[in-house]
Amino acid sequence: MTELLTPILSANWGVDKSWTLKSYLSFDGFEGAKKALKLKPEEVLEIVKESGLRGRGGAGFPTGTKWSFVPQDNPNPKYLVVNADESEPGTCKDMPLLLASPHTLLEGIVIASYAIHCHTAFVYVRGEVAHVARRLQAAVAELYAAGWLGKDIQGSGFDLDVVVHSGAGAYICGEETALLDSLEGKRGQPRLRPPFPAVAGLYASPTVINNVESISSVPCILRNGAEWFSAMGTEKSKGFTIYSLSGHVAKPGQYEAPLGTTFAQLLECAGGMRAGHELKFFTPGGSSTPILTPADVDIPMDYEGMVGAGTMLGTKALQVFDETTSIVRTTLRWSEFYAHESCGKCTPCREGTGWLVQLLKRLEAGQGHEGDVDKLLSVCDDINGLSFCALAGGAVACVTSAVKHFREEFELGYTTPAWEAFPYELSTAWAGGAK
Amino acid sequence: MKEELEQIMARYPQPRSAIMPMLHLVQSYEGYVSDAGVELVAELLGLTIAQVRGVSTFYTQYRQHPAGKHHIGVCATALCAVLGGDAVYAAVSEKLGIKADETTADGLFSLERIECNAACDFAPVMMINWEFMDNMTPEKAVAILDDLAAGKPVQPERGATLTSWKENERVLAGFYDGRADEGVSAGVSSLRSTPKGGKK
C-alpha cells in the first residue's frame, strides 16, 4: 500500500539538518523560484491557476483564483500573510513541515509574493511552538544572507521582506479575518465580510491569506509544471496533500498521497487499527468537520467526496477512534475546546458553546435529564449560522454528527456515567495494541 | 528592555502590529505581563493601558501572574485526553502539588491544561516551555520533572534542550537564540511517507 504515497513536500524531512538552506538546495530547492522570477508575475499566477491547487487549510478555495482577486490598480501595498496558526484539533501537518523544511514555505512565499506584487510577507505562526519559530527565524536569516530575500532578489529587481510573527494562543486567529486583526495588534476577532481581505485586508490593503501547505505546494508546481501537478488527484481536487492520521491506529503520522485517496487506503498505510481493536468513528479534517463511521471508509477523501458524505475535507486531519472510546466524552472535550476558544464576539457562540459543555458534562457523568439530547440539538440550532465566523459551525458540527450516529450512547448518559460504559484506561495509548 | 521593544516595532509597517511580540518580550523579562511592562508598551505604541490589557487578556499565552521557571502544558483536547492526556495531567498535578494556572512555591514549575498543540500523531502531548514532549506517559512525565528539579539537561523529542520558559518567550518575541540546529529534523510519525535518506 505504501506505493500509494507520494512524498513530495515530505521528501526531504528525513535527512540530516533538513532545515538548512544547504540541505534544501540539494533537493532542487529554489529551482521553482528561479523559474518564476524569469516569468512575468501574471504568468506565474496563471500556472498556479492551471495546476488546480486549492487551499489546504480547510476551505478548499482555488489558490490562483484567490491571488487573482488582488486589485493591482489599488495604490496601497499588497500583502501576503501565511496562516501558520495551526490549531484545529487533529491538525498536525504544518508544524512538522516547518520544523523539517521551513525553506519549502519560504520559497513558496517568494513565488507567491512575486505573483501578486507583494513586497512584505508575514508568517503568522502559532505561539506554542518555540522550535518552529526558531527554525523559521534561522531560515529567514539564511535567505537574506543568500540574496533570496531583501532588495533585488537574485538580480531580478524584485524586493521582498518576510516577518515571522508568533501568536499567543488563540484558535480563532486561524480564521483569516481574526488573524488580520491580531496581526494589526488587536484582540483576534473576526471581521464582517465584505470587504474581503483581497480588497481590504491587512491595514485595509489588498491581502492574500493562505495556509502553510497551500503556499508550500507552489514551488514544486513551478518546478515541475501545472500538468505534472494536475495529473495527480481527482477531477476537481487536483494534486497531492498531507493526510494526518492520529489516534487508535498502529502507526499514526503524516501520509502524503494524491487527493481522493480513501480512508481505507490510508488506514492500511498506517498499519490498520491498533491490534485487536475496531474502528468506531473518525474525523475527516479536524473536529469541526462532521464525523464519519466505518460505513464511509471507501469514499474518496477529496473536497467533493467529503461534501457528498455530508462533511468536509477540512485540514485532512483524520482523528481515529476505536470501540473503547466514549463518544460522549470525546464530544464533551471538543465542546470544551470551542467554549474555551470562542472569541466572545457573537452571543450565540459565546453563550451557546458554554451551554453545550454543561449539558455534555452531565451526560458524561450519567446525570443527564430526560430530553437532554434534544436540548443539545436545540442549542446547536440556536448557535449554527447565527455567528460571524466558522468557529460556531464547527462547534455545532461535532455535536450534531455525533448525536446522529450514536444517539443511544448519549441517551445512556441519563443513567450511566460514560466512564462506566467505556472505562477510560482502555482507550489510552499504553492500554495495549502497541504502536 | 525599552530598546528591544523599539527594535520589535521597527519590524512592522505599522508599529501597533508589534504588540504581541512586545508582550512576549515583557514576559521574558518579568515572568508575566506586569503593570510596568504594560505601561511601557502603551507609552511606546501610543495606546491606552486598557487597549494593551485588552490584548494581553485575550490570548492565553500571556500570563497575569508569574510562571514557573519551567511551564508545563498538558494537552486536554479530545484526542490527547482519550489517549491518556488526562492521566498524564493527573500525574503531573499530583507530583507538583498544583492545579492548572498555579505555580509551585519554589517557583520552579507552573502548570496549564492546554488545547490542541498540533502534534496529535504524537499523542498524548506535553509541552514544556513550548517544546514538544511527545508520546507522553504518566511515568515519563514524572521522571522528566525529577530531572528538571535536579537540574539535569532534558532534551525534548522535537526541539532544543530545555532552558527556561522565559528564554523561550524571548524567541517568541522574535529574538533568535541561535539554537535552530538543535534537535531532530522530524519525529518518527512525521516520516511515514518519507524515503530513507530522502528522495530527490
Side-chain angles (χ1 to χ4, degrees), chain A residues 235-283:
Chain A
E235 192 193 339
K236 289 181 179 165
S237 302
K238 304 291 190 194
F240 59 88
T241 192
I242 301 175
Y243 293 98
S244 310
L245 274 74
S246 59
H248 293 134
V249 299
K251 292 187 290 179
Q254 308 303 318
Y255 293 86
E256 198 171 356
L259 277 166
T261 304
T262 67
F263 176 78
Q265 289 171 313
L266 291 165
L267 186 59
E268 202 178 328
C269 290
M273 299 298 292
R274 58 178 182 162
H277 293 280
E278 285 168 15
L279 174 66
K280 181 172 178 178
F281 64 94
F282 65 99
T283 65

Side-chain angles (χ1 to χ4, degrees), chain A residues 5 7 10-20 26-28 79 86-92 95-96 99-100 120 122 124 126-135 137-138 163-170 172-173 182-189 202-203 245-248 250-256 319-321 325 329-330 333-334 336-337 340-341 343 424 427-430 435, chain B residues 11-21 24 47 51 53-55 57-62 75-79 81-88 113 115-124 127 129-132 135-139 158-161 163 167-168 170-186 188-195 197-200:
Chain A
L5 300 173
S10 60
N12 62 331
W13 294 5
V15 302
D16 189 40
K17 292 208 169 12
S18 62
W19 58 87
T20 60
S26 77
F27 281 86
D28 295 332
Y79 294 109
E86 182 170 60
S87 359
E88 167 75 13
T91 310
C92 49
M95 294 306 114
L99 209 52
T120 309
F122 298 87
Y124 188 109
R126 66 177 299 172
E128 304 97 322
V129 285
H131 210 49
V132 173
R134 266 188 207 105
R135 292 259 164 99
Q137 290 164 355
V163 180
V164 177
H165 181 97
S166 288
I172 189 61
C173 293
S182 178
L183 191 51
E184 288 181 1
K186 301 166 191 158
R187 295 163 74 90
Q189 294 188 314
L202 186 66
Y203 314 132
L245 274 74
S246 59
H248 293 134
K251 292 187 290 179
Q254 308 303 318
Y255 293 86
E256 198 171 356
Q319 304 172 89
V320 184
F321 297 91
T325 312
R329 179 195 189 196
T330 310
R333 303 305 278 266
W334 278 328
E336 286 182 328
F337 171 85
H340 182 264
E341 298 297 340
C343 77
Y424 291 173
S427 310
T428 60
W430 50 84
K435 282 181 184 175
Chain B
R11 292 180 203 148
Y12 294 89
Q14 295 188 13
R16 184 169 174 165
S17 285
I19 192 167
M20 291 177 70
H24 279 304
L47 299 174
Q51 283 171 313
R53 276 286 175 213
V55 171
T57 53
F58 183 82
Y59 300 92
T60 49
Q61 274 185 288
Y62 297 131
C75 181
T77 312
L79 186 122
V82 167
L83 264 76
D86 282 0
V88 172
R113 288 164 72 99
E115 300 291 356
C116 188
N117 221 89
C120 316
D121 47 343
F122 298 96
M127 306 296 292
N129 308 334
W130 307 121
E131 305 281 1
F132 289 109
N135 296 314
M136 201 42 57
T137 66
E139 296 75 27
R158 295 176 294 146
T161 308
T163 50
E167 281 171 71
N168 276 4
R170 211 178 144 73
V171 173
L172 300 185
F175 291 100
Y176 178 51
D177 63 2
R179 302 205 298 146
D181 287 347
E182 289 187 32
V184 297
S185 301
V188 172
S189 291
S190 308
L191 297 173
R192 302 294 186 195
S193 314
T194 306
K199 187 184 100 177
K200 314 256 160 137

Side-chain angles (χ1 to χ4, degrees), chain B residues 17-91:
Chain B
S17 285
I19 192 167
M20 291 177 70
M22 288 168 89
L23 291 171
H24 279 304
L25 190 76
V26 167
Q27 297 207 115
S28 80
Y29 279 95
E30 310 271 88
Y32 69 113
V33 181
S34 63
D35 286 343
V38 168
E39 281 166 29
L40 185 53
V41 170
E43 181 197 318
L44 289 170
L45 292 177
L47 299 174
T48 64
I49 301 282
Q51 283 171 313
V52 177
R53 276 286 175 213
V55 171
S56 78
T57 53
F58 183 82
Y59 300 92
T60 49
Q61 274 185 288
Y62 297 131
R63 301 186 54 84
Q64 308 309 318
H65 49 89
K69 179 183 178 192
H70 299 294
H71 184 63
I72 319 288
V74 180
C75 181
T77 312
L79 186 122
C80 272
V82 167
L83 264 76
D86 282 0
V88 172
Y89 175 82

Side-chain angles (χ1 to χ4, degrees), chain A residues 3-138:
Chain A
E3 66 272 18
L4 195 103
L5 300 173
T6 50
I8 296 162
L9 294 180
S10 60
N12 62 331
W13 294 5
V15 302
D16 189 40
K17 292 208 169 12
S18 62
W19 58 87
T20 60
L21 183 58
K22 189 179 165 208
S23 173
Y24 185 64
L25 291 174
S26 77
F27 281 86
D28 295 332
F30 284 91
E31 291 302 321
K34 277 182 200 161
K35 273 195 188 170
L37 292 178
K38 286 183 192 136
L39 300 170
K40 291 182 188 142
E42 311 81 70
E43 292 170 331
V44 175
L45 200 154
E46 202 50 45
I47 290 171
V48 175
K49 259 190 181 173
E50 273 173 26
S51 74
L53 173 65
R54 293 168 65 177
R56 300 292 193 243
F61 195 81
T63 304
T65 306
K66 201 174 202 181
W67 295 1
S68 71
F69 289 157
V70 172
Q72 290 303 336
D73 55 354
N74 186 312
N76 289 346
K78 321 292 180 287
Y79 294 109
L80 173 69
V81 179
V82 174
N83 185 345
D85 193 44
E86 182 170 60
S87 359
E88 167 75 13
T91 310
C92 49
K93 62 190 175 68
D94 297 338
M95 294 306 114
L97 188 156
L98 294 174
L99 209 52
S101 191
H103 286 294
T104 309
L105 173 70
L106 293 167
E107 184 184 357
I109 289 175
V110 171
I111 299 168
S113 299
Y114 180 71
I116 63 165
H117 299 268
C118 150
H119 302 293
T120 309
F122 298 87
V123 182
Y124 188 109
V125 60
R126 66 177 299 172
E128 304 97 322
V129 285
H131 210 49
V132 173
R134 266 188 207 105
R135 292 259 164 99
L136 274 168
Q137 290 164 355

Side-chain angles (χ1 to χ4, degrees), chain A residues 353-401:
Chain A
T353 51
W355 294 348
L356 291 177
V357 169
Q358 284 182 37
L359 286 163
L360 285 162
K361 266 193 174 161
R362 67 189 193 203
L363 287 171
E364 186 202 29
Q367 294 168 354
H369 305 176
E370 197 73 35
D372 269 2
V373 177
D374 286 327
K375 194 175 282 175
L376 206 53
L377 296 176
S378 152
V379 172
C380 285
D381 258 356
D382 294 336
I383 301 172
N384 203 19
L386 298 172
S387 301
F388 261 52
C389 82
L391 186 146
V396 164
C398 68
V399 176
T400 52
S401 64

